[in-house]
Amino acid sequence: MARIELRGLRKQFGGGVVALDRLDLDVASGEFVSLLGPSGCGKTTALRIVAGFELPDEGEVLVDGADVLHLPASRRNMGMVFQSYSLFPNMSAKSNVEYPLRIRRQPRAERDRRARELLGLVGLAKQVDRYPHQLSGGQQQRVALARALAHEPGVLLLDEPLSALDAKVRVQLREEVRRIQLELGITTLYVTHDQEEALSISDRVAVMSEGRVEQVGTPAEVYARPRTAFVASFVGTVNRLEARVVSSVERTVRCGEVVLTVAADVFDHSDGSSVALYLRPEDVGLRPTLNGDGGGGGGGDNGLPGRVRSVTFLGPVTRVGVDCGLGALVADVSSETALGLSLDQPVSVVVDSARLRTLAAS
Amino acid sequence: MAAVTVGPPPARRRGRRRRLPAWHVLWIVVAVAYFLVPIVSLVQFSFGGVVNGHSAGFHWYGTVFADPNFRSSFWLSVQIAIETVVLSNLLLIPTTFWIHLRLPRLRPVMDFVSVLPFVVPPIVLIVGLIPFLRLFTFLYSRPEVLAFIYVVFALPFLYRSLDAGLRAINLRTLAEASANCGGSTWSTLVRVVLPNLRSAVIGGSFLTVAIAMGEFTISSLLSFNTFPVYLFNIGQTTGNEAAALSVISLLLTWALMVSLYLVGRGGRTTAQVAATR
Ligand SMILES: Nc1ncnc2c1ncn2[C@@H]1O[C@H](COP(=O)(O)OP(=O)(O)OP(=O)(O)O)[C@@H](O)[C@H]1O
Ligand SMILES: [Mg+2]
């Protein structure tokens, strides 16, 4: 399987829109990498440059070390699944899958065998003779995936293939995409703006913003150790708090009236500088305080007095909004714990300082 | 957010719709009569007159079919119509495809060019074209020259039809999907785009046939004995025979219509294609 390298890609469209601004990315052979970012950040543009539908103004695209930019799309040997339905309406599911093989003049029997095998792989063994208008959206995208794989491409490109489908089908189909990718071991570049989707099926996630890659890492890395404010806020939900460094040696910061010790791995801020604290909702603990307003009691291990402001049931967890000495926070607690919480109730807020992230305030 | 319903409740409205107002009926009768009366009189006239003391019956039809000029002029017109259809499709299908795919900025230009044959009167067009066509001496004296001229007249119809057909499919994505599968532009056009343009091509070609079969001014000016010219000449001499001839040409036109419709129905329609997007 192929290895892809994107080097310093830059693309400016007419009207001065800079879609890509020196984008770099490496995808190892057989790896599944997601391009994750908000609408308009250039994900599709990057993918279309790799596929050969668009030329960059600067930079290069290397496949197994060889520049492919001079090759037309039809000669790049890549398979692509598009965001909008792209099946040929005049051909049955099987003929659609056979199309790349017909172009390559494979014998009829071989084409037939391969198309049936692939349609079986995507779970459509019974629908081989259906036409696109007789298939559901999810089934159409399955056929599109089978077609993209038919000529055994070295690279699989997917541009939000599931965005037109409803939530249940989307979850089911993304797992299948991943299963098939692992089964074939094909190098895959997957575009999505859905962070849950990216985190759940990728080997690595490249978080994009305004035409650049902000951070590349495993889903766990990107989630737990965001390197920029953008990544922290885009991937998952996060509490952001303004703070000032008290002592860089002791790693203490003042946030509101509270002084916190930051136990995170890196801490390179100078005394007195302003920083932003990032804290995931699941890293905030709540304990109901029974004796009402404890005043400055506080309790040990960073426990702070606070009040419940909102309670939202999310299924496995309940998201609780609290006001405390740090400001307004959201905390995810088990729904069992949440049973003991009601609006305006005084609580003790416990912050897991090992999970606190600090970034220089912009 | 509540929608406000204006007008009578549905039940009353439905009751009112049941009976057609008298003037609606009148309108329909007038419209039908407008089309039917000339045709009925034509048919009647084609059976009219007295031959050898008997009523004519199918006599005039017999005369028409016996006339070798009928067959030769009709055949000539059919040939020219076929040539026009082939020529204009060869010219316009790749052009329209390419404009939609690669040069969408030229679409307004094509829209404008395609209505020119409407705006410029045919007589002006032909006066301008004749000196140009004279340059091609080998062509000018042959009836095929008419096909080259009719392509211009067919342009608005065929182009509009193809344009609408291409708009109805998701051309860019289909072309990119085809390229991604390894298809050249040519195989994209032939294997992916054309099959989906079937009804547009047939619809546009049908109008082209109608134009080529019915055009009188130019073929008469260039003195080719095409079917309309023949029809006109017969009309000058024997009225009943001309009527029989007109009925025959009407039936032939309808037969053509039905056969094109049947061919078109064999494939999938544009509407179906659009529904899959
Ligand atoms: N053909 C084009 N002409 C002009 N501007 C374009 C063109 N294609 C994309 N852009 C612009 O480039 C920027 C990046 O577009 P792109 O489609 O790559 O975003 P995206 O990340 O895929 O967004 P989405 O999630 O909405 O699909 C956008 O501002 C867009 O408006
Ligand atoms: Mg996009």
Side-chain angles (χ1 to χ4, degrees):
Chain A
M1 287 297 155
R3 167 172 51 95
I4 316 172
E5 295 157 77
L6 311 186
R7 294 271 169 269
L9 288 185
R10 198 185 142 76
K11 176 77 186 179
Q12 184 164 5
F13 284 108
V17 183
V18 179
L20 293 181
D21 186 13
R22 285 185 298 281
L23 177 122
D24 289 295
L25 182 68
D26 283 4
V27 183
S29 175
E31 197 182 20
F32 190 121
V33 172
S34 287
L35 282 177
L36 172 66
S39 185
C41 71
K43 309 178 294 287
T44 296
T45 307
L47 204 70
R48 289 173 57 81
I49 288 175
V50 177
F53 301 134
E54 213 89 65
L55 275 178
D57 301 328
E58 282 169 35
E60 46 190 6
V61 175
L62 308 177
V63 173
D64 285 334
D67 191 349
V68 295
L69 281 182
H70 62 278
L71 292 175
S74 55
R75 304 263 307 279
R76 290 200 187 179
N77 196 32
M78 297 177 177
M80 178 147 173
V81 181
F82 295 78
Q83 178 168 6
S84 53
Y85 301 135
S86 63
L87 295 183
F88 307 129
N90 56 307
M91 299 182 198
S92 67
K94 187 163 82 75
S95 312
N96 262 283
V97 180
E98 282 184 21
Y99 182 76
L101 307 175
R102 236 167 68 200
I103 298 278
R104 286 168 179 76
R105 298 182 196 288
Q106 292 206 1
R108 176 185 291 264
E110 171 61 21
R111 277 183 348 220
D112 183 81
R113 190 194 60 73
R114 177 98 180 118
R116 285 176 192 281
E117 175 189 308
L118 280 163
L119 285 168
L121 186 69
V122 298
L124 289 178
K126 292 205 186 83
Q127 283 86 355
V128 286
D129 292 321
R130 296 262 191 95
Y131 280 84
H133 71 277
Q134 299 167 320
L135 295 168
S136 72
Q139 290 171 330
Q140 287 191 45
Q141 290 303 67
R142 285 166 194 264
V143 178
L145 178 62
R147 184 180 64 186
L149 294 168
H151 54 288
E152 301 183 8
V155 174
L156 179 62
L157 306 171
L158 303 104
D159 186 3
E160 309 207 22
L162 311 178
S163 65
L165 310 177
D166 60 44
K168 260 241 169 75
V169 182
R170 210 155 60 211
V171 171
Q172 187 192 348
L173 207 45
R174 80 185 185 209
E175 321 258 272
E176 263 178 74
V177 168
R178 176 59 160 162
R179 171 181 63 81
I180 290 165
Q181 185 268 336
L182 286 173
E183 201 171 315
L184 305 176
I186 186 168
T187 312
T188 302
L189 201 49
Y190 186 98
V191 162
T192 179
H193 64 259
D194 181 339
Q195 42 109 2
E196 188 196 320
E197 196 168 286
L199 295 180
S200 62
I201 56 175
S202 316
D203 290 316
R204 286 189 304 148
V205 177
V207 185
M208 281 184 70
S209 164
E210 295 180 356
R212 284 167 193 264
V213 171
E214 293 255 328
Q215 183 174 356
V216 194
T218 63
E221 259 167 30
V222 169
Y223 185 78
R225 288 194 293 283
R227 233 184 286 134
T228 67
F230 175 81
V231 176
S233 57
F234 188 76
V235 181
T237 308
V238 76
N239 290 297
R240 182 180 189 277
L241 302 167
E242 306 284 345
R244 197 167 281 279
V245 178
V246 176
S247 157
S248 57
V249 180
E250 286 162 23
R251 298 190 165 188
T252 48
V253 297
R254 172 177 292 280
C255 177
E257 315 102 66
V258 186
V259 173
L260 294 168
T261 307
V262 178
D265 38 359
V266 228
F267 191 90
D268 50 359
H269 310 287
S270 52
D271 289 1
S273 62
S274 9
V275 292
L277 295 178
Y278 290 93
L279 187 60
R280 297 282 177 200
E282 63 270 29
D283 298 331
V284 180
L286 297 181
R287 255 185 283 116
T289 324
L290 298 171
N291 53 347
D293 257 9
D301 62 333
N302 285 344
L304 298 163
R307 259 175 203 286
V308 175
R309 287 295 174 225
S310 64
V311 179
T312 314
F313 179 70
L314 297 180
V317 297
T318 294
R319 183 155 292 173
V320 183
V322 290
D323 274 341
C324 65
L326 296 167
L329 289 178
V330 292
D332 284 352
V333 298
S334 74
S335 293
E336 208 173 317
T337 312
L339 284 178
L341 298 174
S342 54
L343 282 186
D344 253 354
Q345 185 180 342
V347 286
S348 164
V349 180
V350 182
V351 169
D352 185 348
S353 62
R355 305 286 192 109
L356 266 180
R357 301 275 308 163
T358 57
L359 294 169
S362 46
Chain B
M1 278 307 286
V4 179
T5 318
V6 184
R12 244 170 79 200
R13 224 183 291 164
R14 207 176 302 133
R16 212 187 271 173
R17 194 178 288 166
R18 205 159 284 159
R19 269 218 344 263
L20 233 51
W23 66 275
H24 274 192
V25 177
L26 182 73
W27 204 252
I28 292 169
V29 168
V30 168
V32 169
Y34 189 90
F35 287 103
L36 274 190
V37 166
I39 295 178
V40 170
S41 345
L42 186 70
V43 173
Q44 214 173 20
F45 197 53
S46 72
F47 291 107
V50 175
V51 185
N52 303 330
H54 302 283
S55 71
F58 280 94
H59 172 80
W60 302 117
Y61 289 88
T63 323
V64 167
F65 283 114
D67 185 351
N69 280 336
F70 164 70
R71 264 167 285 159
S72 67
S73 70
F74 186 76
W75 183 231
L76 179 65
S77 278
V78 167
Q79 268 178 310
I80 292 172
I82 292 171
E83 284 158 11
T84 311
V85 165
V86 171
L87 211 59
S88 48
N89 275 303
L90 278 182
L91 192 67
L92 279 178
I93 291 174
T95 312
T96 320
F97 167 68
W98 196 249
I99 284 179
H100 270 256
L101 194 58
R102 292 289 154 82
L103 305 165
R105 272 172 306 163
L106 283 189
R107 234 150 69 176
V109 178
M110 265 312 270
D111 284 348
F112 176 72
V113 169
S114 74
V115 293
L116 277 183
F118 278 143
V119 183
V120 181
I123 196 72
V124 174
L125 201 70
I126 196 62
V127 167
L129 262 175
I130 284 177
F132 173 73
L133 289 170
R134 280 223 175 93
L135 298 176
F136 306 89
T137 19
F138 67 97
L139 182 69
Y140 185 70
S141 52
R142 299 177 56 79
E144 280 77 28
V145 74
L146 289 175
F148 283 87
I149 298 171
Y150 294 165
V151 165
V152 178
F153 291 113
L155 174 78
F157 301 99
L158 190 57
Y159 172 73
R160 304 251 141 202
S161 183
L162 292 174
D163 187 57
L166 283 168
R167 267 172 220 264
I169 59 176
N170 194 356
L171 180 66
R172 198 169 108 138
T173 308
L174 292 186
E176 284 176 356
S178 169
N180 183 253
C181 291
S184 61
T185 310
W186 177 250
S187 41
T188 303
L189 176 62
V190 174
R191 289 178 175 169
V192 176
V193 177
L194 265 187
N196 292 307
L197 278 187
R198 189 186 176 124
S199 52
V201 170
I202 288 173
S205 300
F206 178 67
L207 290 169
T208 306
V209 167
I211 291 168
M213 291 292 291
E215 201 285 327
F216 170 75
T217 323
I218 293 167
S219 44
S220 148
L221 263 176
L222 296 181
S223 8
F224 291 113
N225 199 20
T226 58
F227 190 61
V229 173
Y230 170 73
L231 189 66
F232 176 76
N233 289 337
I234 294 290
Q236 298 291 75
T237 53
T238 33
N240 295 104
E241 191 185 336
L245 194 52
S246 295
V247 171
I248 291 168
S249 71
L250 264 180
L251 291 177
L252 287 172
T253 314
W254 285 341
L256 193 67
M257 249 180 179
V258 169
S259 58
L260 274 173
Y261 169 75
L262 290 178
V263 172
R265 217 180 42 169
R268 301 176 51 249
T269 64
T270 319
Q272 267 176 311
V273 172
T276 64
R277 285 194 301 156

